[in-house]
Amino acid sequence: MSIVRDYLAAIQAESYDEAYALLTDESATLAGSAEQFAEASSSGLVRPDEAAGFLGEEGALSVGAGPAPDTVLVTAVRDRVADAWLVRSADGSVGIDDAGVPPTGASPYEWINPASGAEDVGDVVPIDRTAPAAILFRIPDEADGPGLVGSPEQLTAYAGTVEVPVSPAASENERRWDIALDSAPPSSETEALTVVWEVAPGSGQWRTSTTPVFLDPAS
């Protein structure tokens, strides 16, 4: 958790070069230059802004096993907002994956249950517990070349830090992933619902998307 706490503290202090240095090499490539990362981070939720809160405060962070060897998932929940990061160890160093949502054009993915859209961090949107949670990816046009997000053929889902079952349903233009929450511990508190995927098999470029939810069946 310490690298995520340091990362958030650097962003909170607007020390974007320090935050950028904590990224994995693969996430730094996805994020662009340090200047591009700073521009994207300064318009994000975690910033010196009382309304944003500070997700790195004591008690906000939790950690669990990640989707691949030498990885952990760190989640943060505070004041009805949530986020998550994949932390990876490679070649004796530890880095954080946080490339963010591509800053231009329509997002290639969207949460549709809860219907919170494409943003990684936002206020809690009611979830329909009579249906699976779901996220939708557009299938990219091969003529556009490699994308920054990909259209994952394998995806891992977590309620908090508890892995939950996920299954794909593909069509010609989009790939929907249904996430079963029956095995998730019920909670009336805000939880982080997170999906993690590799942009392309073997690329080492990992991304996450998180939406805050209530998992109380009565909510």
Side-chain angles (χ1 to χ4, degrees), residues 105-116:
S107 174
Y109 59 84
E110 177 182 9
W111 285 96
I112 56 175
N113 185 30
S116 50

Side-chain angles (χ1 to χ4, degrees), residues 131-148:
I135 188 170
L136 198 68
F137 287 78
R138 293 200 313 274
I139 295 178
D141 188 336
E142 292 183 2
D144 294 335
L148 298 177

Side-chain angles (χ1 to χ4, degrees), residues 110-120 122-126 210-213:
E110 177 182 9
W111 285 96
I112 56 175
N113 185 30
S116 50
E119 297 300 325
D120 269 9
D123 202 352
V124 177
V125 175
T210 301
T211 185
V213 296

Side-chain angles (χ1 to χ4, degrees), residues 86-138:
L86 193 66
V87 177
R88 294 190 289 122
S89 174
D91 300 324
S93 63
V94 178
I96 186 170
D97 282 315
D98 189 27
V101 176
T104 59
S107 174
Y109 59 84
E110 177 182 9
W111 285 96
I112 56 175
N113 185 30
S116 50
E119 297 300 325
D120 269 9
V121 186
D123 202 352
V124 177
V125 175
I127 186 170
D128 179 4
R129 291 304 302 270
T130 66
I135 188 170
L136 198 68
F137 287 78
R138 293 200 313 274

Side-chain angles (χ1 to χ4, degrees), residues 24-113:
T24 63
D25 291 343
E26 293 83 1
S27 272
T29 297
L30 289 174
S33 66
E35 291 75 16
Q36 290 171 313
F37 175 80
E39 183 179 354
S41 297
S42 64
S43 60
L45 182 64
V46 183
R47 62 185 189 275
D49 181 331
E50 291 184 4
F54 180 35
L55 290 176
E57 283 199 351
E58 192 71 29
L61 297 177
S62 301
V63 64
D70 298 319
T71 68
V72 296
L73 182 75
V74 178
T75 64
V77 177
R78 184 178 179 220
D79 298 339
R80 294 174 60 89
V81 297
D83 206 350
W85 305 266
L86 193 66
V87 177
R88 294 190 289 122
S89 174
D91 300 324
S93 63
V94 178
I96 186 170
D97 282 315
D98 189 27
V101 176
T104 59
S107 174
Y109 59 84
E110 177 182 9
W111 285 96
I112 56 175
N113 185 30

Side-chain angles (χ1 to χ4, degrees), residues 18 44 59 136 165 180 188 195 215:
E18 293 181 17
L136 198 68
S188 59
V195 293
L215 298 178

